[in-house]
């Protein structure tokens, strides 16, 4: 099976490595970062000079890219995927992007006889490495069915949510909640630290109480208490997801007050130069205001 993979970043690298483990997969890769490609090429993948060249080699192509603008430029143009593609192929976009952009790209692909599926994920870098991601899929049932065995190599829970863009819409809902929960964890831990509570005791008690959440469990000990905010889910990417939630709410003409406030917290973190750090680094915004450091 010839599989293409574009975007060998924090998520894409372990996902591509999981595909490489299978003897029947020939993996073709592309990334603008030459070092990321070289690392995977040393492990058996074939590096391609452009998305177009990759499309000429692979029958199913996965994208794991930062945002919709990058996805669109990867698909279109002279060196784009669609220029090298042929009818019968399937493109799976696993990036977190706007449903509207996906619908546009799906129409362009389908005009060439290429199936296009949105399949954003949740579970973080750890879930990508363990192949336990939750995958939210949008697209035509037959095309989704055709790539199910491939998606099962990357994730554990795979949901076909609906037509093109439905997976993206679901992902926006989830990440609105993730951003809100992360900001809430940061605010609460700083309050606790200023009240003189031991951060480790706080964590243990919240984890056994009604305030617990994924944000607390995945981020408090591993990132905040370890004072290590590298290589996770970047603040810039969550800010983008909150913007997708705000755009969706605007188009539906419904208010999103807690989401709007949370997006401003992420904007503050970005203004402090924390955009590339993990989302748990939003705690630094509160730490600075409260004059205390929760992390070790
Ligand atoms: P990342 O920034 O670590 O990786 C993105 C990769 O895309 C990089 O290797 C970069 O070099 C490459 N890239 C950028 N522009 C390119 C281009 N024009 N052509 C080819 N390659 C290009 O991001 P990530 O954390 O791996 O996230 C990828 C996607 O997955 C995002 O949409 C993000 O929102 C989503 N996501 C991330 C997480 C997470 O925990 N990190 C979890 C769920 C979903």
């Amino acid at each position: 099976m010839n599989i293409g993979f574009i975007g060998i970043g924090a998520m894409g690298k372990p996902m591509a490595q999981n595909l490489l483990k299978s003897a029947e997969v020939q993996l073709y890769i592309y990334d603008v970062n030459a070092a990321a490609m070289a690392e995977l090429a040393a492990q058996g993948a074939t590096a391609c000079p452009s998305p177009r060249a990759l499309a000429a080699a692979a029958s199913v192509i996965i994208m794991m890219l930062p945002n919709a603008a990058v996805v669109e430029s990867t698909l279109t143009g002279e060196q784009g995927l669609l220029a090298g593609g042929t009818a019968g192929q399937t493109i799976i976009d696993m990036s977190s992007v706007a449903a509207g952009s996906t619908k546009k790209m799906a129409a362009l692909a389908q005009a060439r006889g290429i199936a296009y599926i949105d399949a954003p994920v949740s579970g973080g870098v750890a879930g990508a490495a363990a192949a336990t991601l939750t995958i939210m899929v949008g697209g035509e049932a037959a095309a989704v069915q055709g790539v199910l065995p491939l998606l099962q190599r990357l994730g554990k829970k795979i949901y076909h949510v609906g037509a093109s863009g439905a997976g993206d819409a679901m992902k926006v809902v989830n990440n609105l909640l993730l951003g809100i929960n992360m900001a809430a964890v940061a605010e609460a831990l700083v309050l606790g630290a200023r009240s003189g509570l031991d951060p480790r005791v706080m964590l243990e008690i919240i984890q056994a109480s009604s305030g617990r959440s994924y944000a607390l469990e995945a981020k408090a000990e591993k990132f905040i208490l370890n004072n290590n905010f590298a290589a996770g889910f970047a603040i810039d990417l969550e800010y983008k997801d909150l913007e997708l939630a705000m755009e969706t709410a605007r188009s539906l003409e419904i208010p999103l007050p807690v989401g709007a406030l949370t997006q401003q917290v992420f904007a503050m973190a970005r203004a402090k130069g924390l955009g590339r750090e993990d989302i748990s680094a939003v705690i630094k915004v509160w730490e600075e205001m409260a004059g205390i450091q929760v992390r070790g």
Side-chain angles (χ1 to χ4, degrees):
M1 201 185 340
N2 292 346
I3 309 291
F5 204 108
I6 303 187
I8 317 290
M11 294 292 286
K13 180 176 140 186
M15 292 165 74
Q17 282 169 331
N18 280 330
L19 297 179
L20 268 176
K21 282 181 194 155
S22 168
E24 76 241 28
V25 169
Q26 268 297 114
L27 196 67
Y28 295 85
I29 55 169
Y30 177 73
D31 197 298
V32 285
N33 178 353
M37 279 216 285
E39 189 182 345
L40 240 67
Q43 295 169 21
T46 304
C48 296
S50 64
R52 180 182 181 147
L54 180 141
S59 56
V60 179
I61 297 149
I62 295 173
M63 294 185 288
M64 196 49 171
L65 293 164
N67 55 48
V70 175
V71 167
E72 293 188 12
S73 69
T74 298
L75 279 157
T76 56
E78 206 188 309
Q79 292 307 315
L81 273 180
L82 294 176
T86 46
Q89 285 176 319
T90 303
I91 297 175
I92 311 172
D93 183 20
M94 303 190 81
S95 330
S96 305
V97 299
S101 166
T102 285
K103 287 180 195 161
K104 246 180 7 197
M105 294 302 106
L108 288 180
Q110 274 148 19
R112 291 169 159 81
I114 299 170
Y116 194 93
I117 290 167
D118 47 303
V121 309
S122 182
V125 175
T132 56
L133 293 168
T134 297
I135 308 180
M136 306 156 218
V137 187
E140 282 175 12
V144 173
Q145 206 55 38
V147 296
L148 208 50
L150 181 62
L151 295 178
Q152 281 161 344
R153 291 175 198 262
L154 301 171
K156 200 154 125 196
K157 299 214 163 146
I158 297 151
Y159 298 94
H160 184 196
V161 190
S164 182
D168 294 326
M170 185 63 232
K171 174 66 180 166
V172 166
V173 170
N174 182 75
N175 274 37
L176 168 64
L177 209 44
L178 171 65
I180 291 169
N181 285 343
M182 189 69 253
V185 164
E187 181 166 294
L189 291 183
V190 169
L191 174 70
R194 271 300 290 269
S195 306
L197 296 170
D198 178 325
R200 291 195 186 274
V201 173
M202 270 198 283
L203 289 197
E204 190 176 333
I205 294 175
I206 304 168
Q207 265 154 12
S209 304
S210 48
R212 68 183 180 273
S213 64
Y214 167 87
L216 182 89
E217 281 160 22
K219 302 295 185 181
E221 183 154 8
K222 192 169 162 204
F223 290 83
I224 296 172
L225 295 195
N226 276 340
N227 198 7
N228 176 7
F229 298 94
F233 179 39
I235 281 175
D236 281 344
L237 292 177
E238 176 58 34
Y239 179 83
K240 168 203 67 176
D241 290 343
L242 289 165
E243 181 57 24
L244 293 177
M246 296 312 297
E247 273 171 21
T248 308
R250 273 193 292 272
S251 71
L252 297 173
E253 296 187 16
I254 58 166
L256 223 48
V258 182
L261 189 59
T262 303
Q263 193 189 22
Q264 285 303 306
V265 169
F266 279 80
M268 289 161 83
R270 295 177 89 210
K272 278 171 62 61
L274 303 173
R276 291 304 301 160
E277 294 196 11
D278 182 73
I279 53 170
S280 48
V282 289
I283 199 164
K284 295 179 184 177
V285 173
W286 275 277
E287 286 179 333
E288 193 175 284
M289 289 187 297
I292 196 165
Q293 197 166 303
V294 175
R295 57 214 145 97

